[in-house]
Amino acid sequence: MEDKSKHLGKAILTAVCFALLVGGIYIVNNQDGQTPAPLMQSGNNGFSQKEIATAIKLAKRFKKAEYNINYHNVPENSVTAIRHYKKTFKPYLTEKAFDNLSANRIFRIPGEAALNQKSNISVQKITFDQTEESKQDNSINFNYRMKLAFQNEQGKITHNISLKGQITLTRTKEGWKISRDWNERMPQELVYPESGKNP
């Protein structure tokens, strides 16, 4: 009877040790050894890393199209400007976003700054940080930072500025489209150096 109790005790002890060992391995794997989850993957949508990368690529192309400016090519009148904005920016945007940005005269500000400074503007660097995903809206939100350089006709960098912004991309039947975009305005003295008016 005593031998049976000893064997039973050893069996129970072995089972407990095994359970602790397996549990310990599970904890380690889930805390330190697990493959990192995709950037801001919330679990309630399904955007892959590739889809997110495609969205960021589109956003970068749009911001570069907006802020890479040759001041010699800035549209001279409103009719030409509207035609240019539709051709250049509309493919990246939802209809509503394009209308909102156009109505608020956002597209003209970089061109005004380039003309008034008699300088070309270029995007030196732009980075995006994902903040939120929504399956219901089929969208992703990002914060971004841009570094811009003004370069005069002699090739000299006259101004370096940084702007922060927020952008929302929505997945449509046509692929990713920008449904919202906002960024800090350029310094007033660069856009309207003489009049001091707000853009």
Side-chain angles (χ1 to χ4, degrees):
M1 187 72 178
E2 186 176 347
D3 289 341
K4 287 184 179 180
S5 298
K6 287 182 179 179
H7 286 306
L8 182 59
K10 287 182 179 179
I12 292 172
L13 181 61
T14 301
V16 170
C17 290
F18 180 76
L20 289 172
L21 177 62
V22 172
I25 292 171
Y26 176 81
I27 291 170
V28 169
N29 282 341
N30 278 271
Q31 287 182 344
D32 301 319
Q34 196 175 46
T35 302
L39 180 64
M40 294 297 294
Q41 189 73 22
S42 63
N44 66 349
N45 40 57
F47 296 141
S48 66
Q49 286 282 22
K50 184 177 180 180
E51 288 174 307
I52 295 170
T54 301
I56 292 174
K57 187 176 180 180
L58 177 81
K60 282 184 178 180
R61 288 204 308 265
F62 169 69
K63 298 310 294 184
K64 287 182 178 181
E66 185 180 8
Y67 280 94
N68 282 336
I69 305 290
N70 183 322
Y71 85 93
H72 292 292
N73 297 334
V74 174
E76 296 179 357
N77 57 67
S78 58
V79 175
T80 306
I82 291 171
R83 190 182 302 121
H84 170 72
Y85 299 154
K86 285 182 177 179
K87 180 181 178 182
T88 306
F89 305 124
K90 202 168 185 180
Y92 298 101
L93 301 159
T94 63
E95 195 75 31
K96 184 177 180 180
F98 178 80
D99 291 343
N100 286 340
L101 293 171
S102 297
N104 288 295
R105 301 181 295 175
I106 299 301
F107 298 135
R108 74 179 179 85
I109 294 174
E112 291 282 353
L115 283 173
N116 284 314
Q117 298 301 317
K118 291 183 171 56
S119 297
N120 297 329
I121 304 174
S122 60
V123 178
Q124 300 293 298
K125 184 178 181 181
I126 181 167
T127 57
F128 291 83
D129 295 311
Q130 188 179 344
T131 59
E132 187 180 359
E133 294 180 2
S134 172
K135 186 175 181 180
Q136 184 176 358
D137 297 331
N138 218 16
S139 62
I140 311 179
N141 296 321
F142 297 92
N143 291 331
Y144 62 87
R145 292 172 179 266
M146 291 188 297
K147 291 185 178 180
L148 308 177
F150 285 69
Q151 188 174 31
N152 64 22
E153 287 190 300
Q154 288 72 45
K156 180 182 178 181
I157 301 294
T158 57
H159 298 90
N160 287 293
I161 64 172
S162 295
L163 301 176
K164 298 177 183 177
Q166 298 174 345
I167 196 166
T168 301
L169 289 100
T170 300
R171 190 164 55 180
T172 71
K173 293 179 181 179
E174 300 174 351
W176 288 110
K177 293 280 187 177
I178 295 163
S179 52
R180 182 183 69 95
D181 181 44
W182 167 89
N183 62 252
E184 295 173 322
R185 291 187 174 185
M186 288 185 172
Q188 181 175 307
E189 62 271 17
L190 295 182
V191 184
Y192 295 101
E194 296 179 1
S195 64
K197 294 180 182 179
N198 287 321

